[in-house]
Amino acid sequence: MSVRTMPNILLTLCGVLFAPLALAHTGVHDTSSLTAGFLHPLTGIDHIIIAVVAGLWAAHSCRHCALCTVGFLMLLVVGALFGIGGLVIPQVDTLTIASVVTAGAVIVLSLSIPEIRGYALFGGLAFYYGFLPVSYTHLTLPTINGE
């Protein structure tokens, strides 16, 4: 084993050890209040990992880093609006784990993602992570007949 592969092994080991922390939406804490919906994106390890990895990718691979950041934030809002509108995405916990593993692989393996694919990957993750807090707080828009 070379010295150059040691950091990759350590990062992979950390990913395996901390993977259960990505299960933030399984009833470990209160997920039914508006406060929980607003605080989890700021304190949830899965949200923090995605934001940091997206920022690292934008700083490394994106020609217009500021526009990448604005686009990421806008897609977070769009995802939240779709959640409020009643969008249902099945298997959210499985998708959450898969998204954290995918984002981690981008960094650990130093994957060089072409800019357009990075936009698609991190834009999709932004949409999904905007949707998640709203879906767990069960906020929806009232229908016309008041139901």
Side-chain angles (χ1 to χ4, degrees):
M1 179 184 328
S2 73
V3 177
R4 295 180 73 196
T5 60
M6 191 57 121
N8 289 341
I9 292 172
L10 289 174
L11 286 172
T12 304
L13 182 61
C14 287
V16 169
L17 292 175
F18 295 114
L21 294 176
L23 295 172
H25 310 108
T26 59
V28 175
H29 53 81
D30 180 32
T31 59
S32 61
S33 70
L34 185 63
T35 305
F38 281 111
L39 287 181
H40 179 71
L42 301 174
T43 60
I45 190 72
D46 54 333
H47 294 263
I48 294 168
I49 288 171
I50 295 299
V52 168
V53 170
L56 289 172
W57 172 80
H60 181 268
S61 302
C62 191
R63 286 178 289 184
H64 307 288
C65 190
L67 290 177
C68 289
T69 304
V70 170
F72 189 84
L73 294 173
M74 288 175 61
L75 282 166
L76 282 169
V77 171
V78 169
L81 292 174
F82 270 76
I84 291 170
L87 175 69
V88 176
I89 298 177
Q91 301 292 324
V92 291
D93 287 328
T94 304
L95 286 172
T96 301
I97 292 170
S99 67
V100 170
V101 169
T102 301
V106 168
I107 296 301
V108 171
L109 300 175
S110 299
L111 296 178
S112 179
I113 300 175
E115 195 166 346
I116 192 71
R117 289 184 183 158
Y119 291 149
L121 172 65
F122 291 109
L125 290 174
F127 178 89
Y128 179 68
Y129 277 89
F131 163 81
L132 276 179
V134 174
S135 71
Y136 279 101
T137 55
H138 307 292
L139 292 174
T140 56
L141 293 174
T143 58
I144 293 173
N145 59 4
E147 293 179 9

